[in-house]
Amino acid sequence: MEALKREEFYTVEDIYALPDGERAELIDGKIYYMAPPNTKHQLLVSELHYQIKDYIRENHGECVVIPAPFAVFLNENDRNYVEPDISVICDRNKITDKGCNGAPDWIIEIVSPGSKGMDYFTKLFKYRTAGVREYWIVDPVRQRATVYCFERESVEEYSFGTDIPVGIYEGFHIKVE
């Protein structure tokens, strides 16, 4: 008789116990290690963060935009911890010194070669079920942005260089280049 293999689950404590400089995310108790981002990735994060922050500031908005690394605890348990490339949080009560407790309103992920499956499948499902209102997947290789507006149950694809409407802000468009 063969013994059943026990599946190991990790918690947020395990994430905080990682060696300095090592980054990982935790989804449903499973650790996913993250490679350092490349320059193109960071330039996209920087530009998108700037455009969103500028729009919020000009319109005296209540939301906060925070780039990675920033901890997001999606659920009321210790088995989910993600670091979206960009998080927009409109309920400031969710923000603590440790990060964001609960789903941000809008998340943007920039696809890296090693994160494709995570961004297009694992995180898509997790963000939708956690209550994220809008999720963008920006893919520099394909030069496309896929926009999921969960409130309207819509998905749209946009080429880089075109105006992309932001679902949580009427009249706000972003051009990804």
Side-chain angles (χ1 to χ4, degrees):
M1 191 185 282
E2 203 173 306
L4 286 174
K5 183 181 168 203
R6 185 177 166 267
E7 193 169 348
E8 192 161 353
F9 288 100
Y10 296 92
T11 67
V12 172
E13 281 183 29
D14 296 307
I15 294 292
Y16 284 114
L18 290 172
D20 282 348
E22 194 165 326
R23 289 179 53 214
E25 294 179 306
L26 183 69
I27 297 180
D28 296 328
K30 185 174 180 188
I31 288 183
Y32 297 89
Y33 292 94
M34 297 164 45
N38 64 27
T39 301
K40 185 182 281 188
H41 179 281
Q42 289 306 94
L43 287 171
L44 278 166
V45 168
S46 179
E47 180 58 29
L48 291 167
H49 175 259
Y50 172 80
Q51 287 186 52
I52 297 164
K53 187 171 184 75
D54 199 40
Y55 177 84
I56 292 169
R57 183 179 290 138
E58 283 179 12
N59 290 279
H60 310 288
E62 294 295 316
C63 302
V64 177
V65 57
I66 304 174
F70 177 68
V72 173
F73 306 94
L74 286 172
N75 306 95
E76 296 292 323
N77 63 39
D78 63 351
R79 295 202 175 176
N80 289 285
Y81 167 99
V82 292
E83 291 185 7
D85 289 315
I86 296 176
S87 300
V88 178
I89 304 132
C90 298
D91 179 356
R92 290 177 181 241
N93 292 321
K94 290 182 178 182
I95 301 172
T96 69
D97 283 343
K98 287 195 171 222
C100 177
N101 290 319
D105 294 85
W106 178 18
I107 287 178
I108 299 175
E109 294 284 8
I110 312 297
V111 177
S112 299
S115 73
K116 207 171 197 140
M118 282 289 290
D119 295 335
Y120 280 103
F121 301 105
T122 308
K123 287 184 177 178
L124 171 64
F125 175 76
K126 200 68 197 168
Y127 292 160
R128 180 184 190 130
T129 57
V132 172
R133 295 168 55 202
E134 186 166 351
Y135 175 43
W136 289 24
I137 302 172
V138 177
D139 192 330
V141 172
R142 292 179 55 226
Q143 299 259 311
R144 301 192 63 74
T146 307
V147 175
Y148 295 88
C149 185
F150 297 130
E151 292 175 318
R152 289 196 302 269
E153 296 186 11
S154 68
V155 58
E156 301 284 337
E157 266 203 351
Y158 298 90
S159 297
F160 278 23
T162 59
D163 283 339
I164 304 172
V166 176
I168 69 166
Y169 291 116
E170 186 141 349
F172 179 33
H173 292 75
I174 290 180
K175 195 175 284 191
V176 180
E177 301 191 82

